[in-house]
Amino acid sequence: MLNLKDFLPSLRIKDNKIFVESVDLETFKDETPIFVYSKEAINFYINKVKNAFKNYDTKVFYAVKANPNINLLKIFRDADFGFDTVSKGELFRVLNVEKNLKNTIFSGVGKRKDEIEYALKNNILAINVESFSELKTVKNIAEKLKKVADISIRVNPEVNPKTHPYISTALKKSKFGVSFKEALEMYMYARQEKFLNPLGIHFHIGSQIFEVEPFIEALEKTLNFVKVLKEKGITLSFIDIGGGWGVKYSPKDKVFPLEVLANKVIEKLKKFDYFLKLFVEPGRYLIANTCIMLTKILYIKKNEEKTFYICDAGMNDFPRPSLYKAYHHIEPLYQNKNEEEIVDIVGPICESGDFLALDRKIKKCREEELLVCFSAGAYTMSMASNYNSRLRAKEVLIDKDKIKVIRERENLEDLIRKEIF
Ligand SMILES: *Cc1c(COP(=O)(O)O)cnc(C)c1O
């Protein structure tokens, strides 16, 4: 059975219309496309994560790249979450809501020197190092700044998370992390360097994963390696198991069994030779199903084979369908009783890949009707672009009956602001 609350826990249906908390989405009918976030929904997912890990010393780091809006970061900060970042830009965003980077981890395969320096100067909790060359670069910068760099090493546990190939990150052929063999040499090197402090170990095996098994397999392999380190005299203080928890986008998707994962991880850690603090880095799980995008049907066009709903939002606003062939659930704002038809829901952009949904069964709509596109919180606004010189959409945050603008729609001047005439 379709339950729209799976895609937004704070959704209500009133007068046959979709509301977010107490706000009627029709309020935004002249402002489409628009992203509407719900504070109640964000708190719902924050609490789910907190509860799952409450029986173990766990620190949650929100993965900023899923959605970097500083108003959302503030909500996670207030929940006592830290941040997982992958660029100087993301570190800068965190510094807009926190005094320093003591609750922030810096990950990524290709960190520039200026990025590493910026992280160290602002007291980063740990740099997740992904190669031997990077480790030496971190050492040189730390030495120059006369500041010890706390590091963890991202290992590649070589497990198959059974997800989209673009978001599998721990296959043998993957560019991410290092083998356990390489990691051992890196820890041995770090231990004898005055300006490097090996504090933890990290893996992140991919994204949109529904099975618990690949996480446990990666954890077991990594814990075995942590034992080897201990024998060599290297004791770590944390293990970071990354993010990647699956999110329900389609009525057919399962719900990710977070409690099962948490309990299994906690059981393994409690049995381990010594105490390791647990770090987790969910992004998508915390934010995907807390937001909808509202778009308007501009035109309905039919040919012999197809019916097209041509909308005012395109792949520049909502890139996941074109990029990953991702399914997003879409409903008319008015929960009408019309019969269903099969349509392509497309954008206005000059690309055949510009679609929100293909061959989608939906209750028949009229021109000017509004569509609610669900699961729009993660990897959507953060991947949006100005392609076709379109203005990036407005974002609002709902808190009960209050509406707060958290990003204004771009204007025409924004488009050419950096161009030199
Ligand atoms: C992207 C990323 C995450 C978050 O992944 P989700 O699938 O959004 O949970 C966590 N850690 C690292 C290192 C990442 O690159």
Side-chain angles (χ1 to χ4, degrees):
M1 251 296 280
L2 174 65
N3 181 2
L4 292 179
K5 278 182 176 280
D6 287 346
F7 305 125
L8 183 71
S10 57
L11 173 139
R12 323 259 186 271
I13 307 275
K14 258 194 271 181
D15 314 327
N16 291 320
K17 262 189 292 183
I18 295 172
F19 280 55
V20 173
E21 304 192 24
S22 317
V23 173
D24 180 351
L25 286 175
E26 202 170 0
T27 313
F28 307 112
K29 68 178 187 329
D30 297 321
E31 299 188 89
T32 55
I34 187 170
F35 287 83
V36 182
Y37 298 84
S38 158
K39 191 157 184 192
E40 180 187 324
I42 297 171
N43 282 326
F44 175 88
Y45 285 104
I46 286 174
N47 288 329
K48 258 181 112 65
V49 174
K50 280 189 171 170
N51 280 332
F53 291 95
K54 67 176 184 290
N55 294 327
Y56 197 81
D57 187 353
T58 306
K59 174 119 184 140
V60 184
F61 297 84
Y62 168 67
V64 174
K65 73 177 185 287
N67 191 320
N69 188 298
I70 53 177
N71 294 275
L72 305 177
L73 300 188
K74 220 192 254 173
I75 298 176
F76 292 115
R77 176 204 65 193
D78 291 344
D80 260 335
F81 286 8
F83 299 101
D84 175 66
T85 57
V86 293
S87 71
K88 190 180 196 172
E90 289 188 355
L91 295 172
F92 170 76
R93 285 177 175 278
V94 171
L95 287 169
N96 274 270
V97 301
E98 298 229 79
K99 284 197 292 292
N100 54 48
L101 300 175
K102 282 185 179 159
N103 287 310
T104 300
I105 289 180
F106 190 20
S107 307
V109 277
K111 305 179 195 75
R112 294 188 312 265
K113 285 179 187 152
D114 65 295
E115 294 184 301
I116 294 167
E117 185 163 333
Y118 188 74
L120 288 175
K121 277 186 174 161
N122 287 290
N123 300 320
I124 192 90
L125 189 159
I127 296 179
N128 259 335
V129 178
E130 300 216 18
S131 67
F132 216 134
S133 305
E134 184 192 338
L135 186 63
K136 288 176 183 160
T137 302
V138 172
K139 186 217 87 170
N140 289 337
I141 296 169
E143 208 161 32
K144 187 182 90 182
L145 297 176
K146 303 248 174 321
K147 218 165 180 170
V148 174
D150 289 326
I151 58 134
S152 59
I153 290 172
R154 177 166 178 177
V155 291
N156 179 353
E158 291 180 20
V159 297
N160 185 353
K162 304 184 189 103
T163 182
H164 192 286
Y166 287 6
I167 48 178
S168 292
T169 56
L171 306 175
K172 198 167 197 150
K173 61 183 183 192
S174 167
K175 70 176 176 181
F176 298 98
V178 297
S179 66
F180 289 118
K181 187 165 164 279
E182 178 89 349
L184 180 59
E185 286 168 26
M186 289 165 69
Y187 279 108
M188 298 303 278
Y189 168 85
R191 178 178 59 175
Q192 42 89 38
E193 285 296 332
K194 206 166 79 192
F195 286 95
L196 292 176
N197 179 28
L199 206 58
I201 190 159
H202 173 244
F203 63 79
H204 172 72
I205 59 176
S207 194
Q208 190 56 359
I209 302 164
F210 284 100
E211 309 282 323
V212 167
E213 204 42 50
F215 290 101
I216 301 304
E217 195 188 327
L219 178 66
E220 282 172 346
K221 285 181 167 178
T222 306
L223 286 176
N224 284 337
F225 177 69
V226 175
K227 273 187 204 172
V228 174
L229 289 179
K230 177 83 175 156
E231 284 156 19
K232 305 270 183 193
I234 298 167
T235 310
L236 301 180
S237 66
F238 71 80
I239 181 161
D240 181 342
I241 64 167
W245 310 340
V247 155
K248 186 165 169 141
Y249 285 100
S250 120
K252 286 187 201 140
D253 286 338
K254 292 177 278 185
V255 170
F256 180 70
L258 181 60
E259 293 73 21
V260 177
L261 172 76
N263 291 339
K264 285 194 175 168
V265 168
I266 291 169
E267 187 192 316
K268 296 254 177 258
L269 290 179
K270 282 190 171 161
K271 277 200 226 136
F272 190 62
D273 301 13
Y274 67 93
F275 170 74
L276 282 167
K277 196 173 160 82
L278 174 62
F279 287 3
V280 293
E281 305 168 338
R284 188 193 306 274
Y285 186 85
L286 284 167
I287 201 74
N289 282 336
T290 70
C291 172
I292 62 94
M293 181 188 71
L294 197 67
T295 181
K296 185 180 288 161
I297 302 174
L298 299 173
Y299 304 107
I300 295 180
K301 174 160 142 177
K302 288 180 203 278
N303 65 24
E304 272 144 44
E305 286 193 14
K306 292 230 170 212
T307 299
F308 298 98
Y309 289 1
I310 301 168
C311 299
D312 64 2
M315 62 190 282
N316 74 300
D317 304 294
F318 204 79
R320 297 191 68 260
S322 335
L323 192 56
Y324 308 108
K325 292 222 170 78
Y327 179 106
H328 280 259
H329 196 70
I330 301 177
E331 288 276 324
L333 171 61
Y334 279 98
Q335 297 283 287
N336 62 50
K337 300 267 191 306
N338 299 350
E339 58 180 290
E340 290 180 317
E341 61 178 341
I342 292 177
V343 301
D344 281 3
I345 304 174
V346 301
I349 289 175
C350 313
E351 296 254 356
S352 295
D354 178 32
F355 54 85
L356 306 178
L358 295 180
D359 295 319
R360 182 63 60 85
K361 200 190 262 185
I362 189 166
K363 298 254 173 64
K364 263 189 183 160
C365 294
R366 291 169 290 103
E367 290 183 351
E368 299 286 302
E369 243 189 276
L370 298 172
L371 296 177
V372 179
C373 306
F374 287 96
S375 316
Y379 304 104
T380 302
M381 239 342 238
S382 64
M383 286 183 161
S385 77
N386 291 116
Y387 187 42
N388 277 209
S389 286
R390 289 165 51 81
L391 308 174
R392 258 175 292 202
K394 181 172 173 176
E395 295 176 288
V396 295
L397 174 65
I398 306 287
D399 184 5
K400 300 188 183 76
D401 59 350
K402 286 202 281 300
I403 301 165
K404 185 179 170 198
V405 179
I406 58 170
R407 190 173 202 267
E408 290 174 10
R409 186 180 311 287
E410 291 175 353
N411 60 32
L412 293 172
E413 287 306 314
D414 290 331
L415 287 177
I416 54 167
R417 195 172 299 284
K418 291 290 181 192
E419 291 169 30
I420 297 163
F421 200 50

